[in-house]
Amino acid sequence: MPVHHRLMAENPEYARARVEIENMAFAYETGAATTDREGPTRIPVVVHVVFNTASQNISDAQITSQIDVLNKDYRAQNTDIGQVPPVWKPRVADSRVEFELATKDPDGQPTDGITRTQTQTKKFNTQTDDVKSASTGGHDAWPADKYLNIWVCPQIFDPQDPTNEILGYAQFPGGPAETDGVVIGHRFFGTTGTAAAPFNLGRTATHEVGHWLNLRHIWGDDDGGCSGSDLVADTPNAGGPNFGTPTFPSVTCMNGPDGDMFVNYMDYTDDKGMVMFTRGQVDRMAATLDSFRSSFNGSGP
């Protein structure tokens, strides 16, 4: 959200695009429009590994493990989906989105979908997007209309709270192409290698890619005021983020008897606590793939 607020203040084109994207999302949410997509949409991914030390230069296996998690989570095929409380099982939805490492680079040459860049930078700033540019110690984005750019880096921090390490961050649809994508710390990426508990099941990427597809946090980012909204009708309003592994029910904002949907990927629980997207969230993703990210429908590397 800090990235979103910065772009809204600084970038009039982003502000205009957000209005159009949200109008489309509202139409899909209310049933006024539906998707014509047939079968799954496959998203080519490029992972930019930006490392300061050799141990941060994560393996191909760690990267592959993350792609596997994304594919299971977005198709509702994750083995832990049985954790969804019975009251919410009918809301579980398959997004019909799949991910694969790119096989061709922007010049049309064969690639494994991975770039590797050693940097002198030990921490990357969410507000300056330094990891997304070679001139500031990172790696330039590949064309955002053809690839989901994922940067994996040593550490991430927000300058407003520089001592607090951030797991990852993303840019909503509608922003500048050169910064479009997802950034994740290497210790929160994939399920093997440097991935560290309790964020070692690949769910940070599932969450951040959700933002890339226009999903918001389930509590509406209103600082606990119970007045915010993620603009999705089938995710109960929550008082704020959940952490750790809550037990059902966890009631806030007069949302009893079932309480917060803390098993949703767009909450802040430990990786083992988040296991589902809802039908309403899938509608928002479909609206995005039919509008701002329509270049991924049937085209791309």
Side-chain angles (χ1 to χ4, degrees), residues 230-280:
D230 63 352
L231 307 177
V232 176
D234 63 0
T235 57
N237 188 27
N242 289 280
F243 299 97
T245 53
T247 56
F248 178 85
S250 178
V251 177
T252 64
C253 292
M254 297 183 290
N255 61 9
D258 303 324
D260 297 354
M261 188 182 279
F262 54 79
V263 292
N264 196 283
Y265 291 124
M266 302 314 293
D267 205 341
Y268 271 179
T269 64
D270 292 349
D271 277 15
K272 66 181 180 181
M274 51 175 67
V275 296
M276 68 171 287
F277 289 121
T278 69
R279 295 177 184 272

Side-chain angles (χ1 to χ4, degrees), residues 131-173:
V131 74
K132 300 177 182 179
S133 174
S135 65
T136 52
H139 194 287
D140 294 342
W142 286 11
D145 60 340
K146 296 181 179 179
Y147 305 90
L148 163 56
N149 286 271
I150 300 179
W151 289 266
V152 181
C153 63
Q155 287 190 34
I156 310 167
F157 73 97
D158 186 326
Q160 295 181 355
D161 187 9
T163 62
N164 182 33
E165 183 177 8
I166 293 173
L167 277 64
Y169 72 100
Q171 181 173 293
F172 284 127

Side-chain angles (χ1 to χ4, degrees), residues 205-225:
T206 300
H207 176 106
E208 299 301 341
V209 172
H211 288 314
W212 183 81
L213 287 168
N214 204 36
L215 298 187
R216 298 188 175 216
H217 295 134
I218 61 166
W219 64 94
D221 293 283
D222 63 349
D223 296 322

